[in-house]
């Protein structure tokens, strides 16, 4: 059984829900407290033992590559000013030389196509897939637990969480089979099931470990929902050849692809920090007591 050494991050999306903020800045570089969204996701992968970080980018995403590069002038300035703590923190977050790779998804053909674009960099190995819009908050990273489950089963792993059954039609939903190790066998996968037809209320939360055979399937995968190449469609075909297991994640997940989820993540991570918890809790209480909804709801596009 090959070890999971590589992770794929599809970061080619346009971020239209955050315009005008994302007109010149990639949505993955918007900050939650003091770190870009993409940094949280890469840190999660690093905690799981990932050694090679593969980014599937698009136009105007070069700043992501710059973020994970060494900035000699900044490091030198921090050293000269004696800001050793800040310098050490940046160096801890810095991937080692050769640990990052970047490839382009020239046309927006969906998540399945983005994953397929990483095929040459992944090669014939199992790999982690982390959707950068989704960031996790828990004592132990979601992907770390998934890698441990993979080491027990040697097969495809999908992380899931519970949702309100009435909201199941908004997500990719899995059917739950027998428990195994600290996960369970997935019996079916349904993308946005019709109301009342979902096999469970366990939704796919944006974390996967997949076998390389998925690339051959994606190569010939026809377009599905939204006229895009859907990863779920390819996984359904792979499931006929290989088992899929579910990891039931118990932490918090924030959808930073939506303004509401992004704001929620900022509040949650600020409250989670010991150096900010007390002051932010006070600010939030004050705002709830004093502020009334504005009559002006913002500029319409």
């Amino acid at each position: 059984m090959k070890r999971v050494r590589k992770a794929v991050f599809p970061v080619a999306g346009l971020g239209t829900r955050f315009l005008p903020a994302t007109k010149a800045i990639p949505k993955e570089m918007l900050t939650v407290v003091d770190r870009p969204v993409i940094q949280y996701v890469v840190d999660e992968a690093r905690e799981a033992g990932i050694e090679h970080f593969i980014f599937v980018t698009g136009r105007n995403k070069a700043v992501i590559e710059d973020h994970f590069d060494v900035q000699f002038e900044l490091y030198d300035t921090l050293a000269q000013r004696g800001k050793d703590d800040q310098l050490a923190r940046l160096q801890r977050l810095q991937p080692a030389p050769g640990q990052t790779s970047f490839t382009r998804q020239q046309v927006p053909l969906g998540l399945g196509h983005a994953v397929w674009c990483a095929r040459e960099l992944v090669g014939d190995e199992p790999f982690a897939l982390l959707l950068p819009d989704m960031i996790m908050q828990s004592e132990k990273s979601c992907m770390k637990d998934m890698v441990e489950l993979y080491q027990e089963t040697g097969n495809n792993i999908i992380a899931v969480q519970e949702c309100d059954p009435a909201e199941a039609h908004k997500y990719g939903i899995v059917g739950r089979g027998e428990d195994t190790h600290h996960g369970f066998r997935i019996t079916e996968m349904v993308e946005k099931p019709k109301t009342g037809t979902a096999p469970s209320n366990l939704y796919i939360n944006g974390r996967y470990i997949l076998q390389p055979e998925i690339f051959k399937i994606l190569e010939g995968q026809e377009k599905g929902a939204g006229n895009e190449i859907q990863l779920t469609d390819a996984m359904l075909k792979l499931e006929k050849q290989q088992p899929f297991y579910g990891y039931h994640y118990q932490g918090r997940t924030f959808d930073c692809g939506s303004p509401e989820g992004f704001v929620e993540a900022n509040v949650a991570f600020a409250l989670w920090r010991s150096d900010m918890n007390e002051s932010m809790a006070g600010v939030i209480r004050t705002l709830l007591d004093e502020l009334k909804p504005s009559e002006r709801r913002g500029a319409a596009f």
Side-chain angles (χ1 to χ4, degrees):
M1 183 173 61
K2 294 182 179 179
R3 191 163 61 89
V4 181
R5 302 186 309 111
K6 300 179 179 181
V8 174
F9 307 90
V11 293
L14 297 176
T16 53
R17 285 187 286 179
F18 282 92
L19 287 171
T22 51
K23 184 178 179 181
I25 301 172
K27 63 176 181 176
E28 298 84 7
M29 290 301 296
L30 298 176
T31 56
V32 172
V33 186
D34 58 358
R35 284 190 288 169
V37 168
I38 189 61
Q39 185 71 62
Y40 287 90
V41 185
V42 169
D43 289 347
E44 179 186 341
R46 182 186 285 113
E47 184 182 338
I50 299 298
E51 301 170 354
H52 189 180
F53 309 98
I54 301 168
F55 299 86
V56 182
T57 71
R59 294 180 62 192
N60 302 320
K61 298 282 186 168
V63 68
I64 297 176
E65 187 170 353
D66 292 339
H67 174 73
F68 291 104
D69 200 358
V70 174
Q71 297 187 22
F72 293 102
E73 298 86 352
L74 174 61
Y75 288 9
D76 183 62
T77 299
L78 291 175
Q80 290 185 27
R81 295 179 180 177
K83 297 186 176 182
D84 298 332
D85 290 344
Q86 288 178 307
L87 178 58
R89 184 186 180 199
L90 288 176
Q91 290 173 333
R92 284 196 301 271
L93 297 176
Q94 180 71 51
Q99 279 194 318
T100 56
S101 297
F102 297 83
T103 188
R104 284 288 186 102
Q105 182 188 20
Q106 288 92 342
V107 287
L109 292 178
L111 176 59
H113 181 260
V115 172
W116 181 76
C117 288
R119 66 197 182 282
E120 297 296 337
L121 292 168
V122 173
D124 188 26
E125 297 185 38
F127 64 98
L129 171 63
L130 298 92
L131 304 193
D133 283 349
M134 314 299 283
I135 64 174
M136 313 299 203
Q137 187 184 66
S138 56
E139 294 296 335
K140 184 179 180 182
S141 86
C142 177
M143 184 54 65
K144 185 176 178 65
D145 266 340
M146 292 177 66
V147 168
E148 292 176 1
L149 179 58
Y150 167 79
Q151 291 170 344
E152 296 169 350
T153 64
N155 290 110
N156 304 280
I157 311 293
I158 299 177
V160 298
Q161 285 182 262
E162 294 178 353
C163 69
D164 182 340
E167 302 291 312
H169 65 281
K170 298 180 180 180
Y171 305 103
I173 302 293
V174 305
R176 179 165 190 156
E178 72 277 7
D179 291 343
T180 176
H181 304 286
H182 65 288
F184 62 91
R185 184 72 179 264
I186 290 177
T187 58
E188 57 182 310
M189 291 177 275
V190 184
E191 186 66 30
K192 296 182 179 179
K194 294 181 179 180
T195 302
T197 66
S200 75
N201 67 330
L202 296 174
Y203 77 94
I204 301 171
N205 69 4
R207 299 292 186 270
Y208 312 77
I209 293 175
L210 298 172
Q211 296 293 329
E213 287 79 10
I214 194 74
F215 293 121
K216 186 64 176 177
I217 296 173
L218 287 169
E219 185 174 346
Q221 182 64 47
E222 297 179 353
K223 293 180 181 179
N227 200 33
E228 296 180 336
I229 297 174
Q230 297 293 338
L231 179 64
T232 302
D233 293 342
M235 290 194 300
L236 286 169
K237 292 180 180 179
L238 184 60
E239 192 268 340
K240 296 178 181 178
Q241 308 168 20
Q242 301 174 356
F244 274 74
Y245 292 89
Y247 165 65
H248 192 172
Y249 176 62
Q250 301 294 330
R252 296 187 180 93
T253 299
F254 303 98
D255 181 4
C256 290
S258 70
E260 297 84 357
F262 178 74
V263 173
E264 182 184 2
N266 270 278
V267 173
F269 276 93
L271 291 173
W272 217 37
R273 286 177 47 160
S274 58
D275 61 330
M276 300 179 68
N277 176 276
E278 187 174 344
S279 61
M280 285 304 304
V283 168
I284 292 170
R285 282 192 292 268
T286 299
L287 291 173
L288 290 173
D289 290 340
E290 296 182 358
L291 293 185
K292 296 180 179 180
S294 173
E295 292 182 2
R296 185 171 182 268
R297 297 297 180 180
F301 288 91

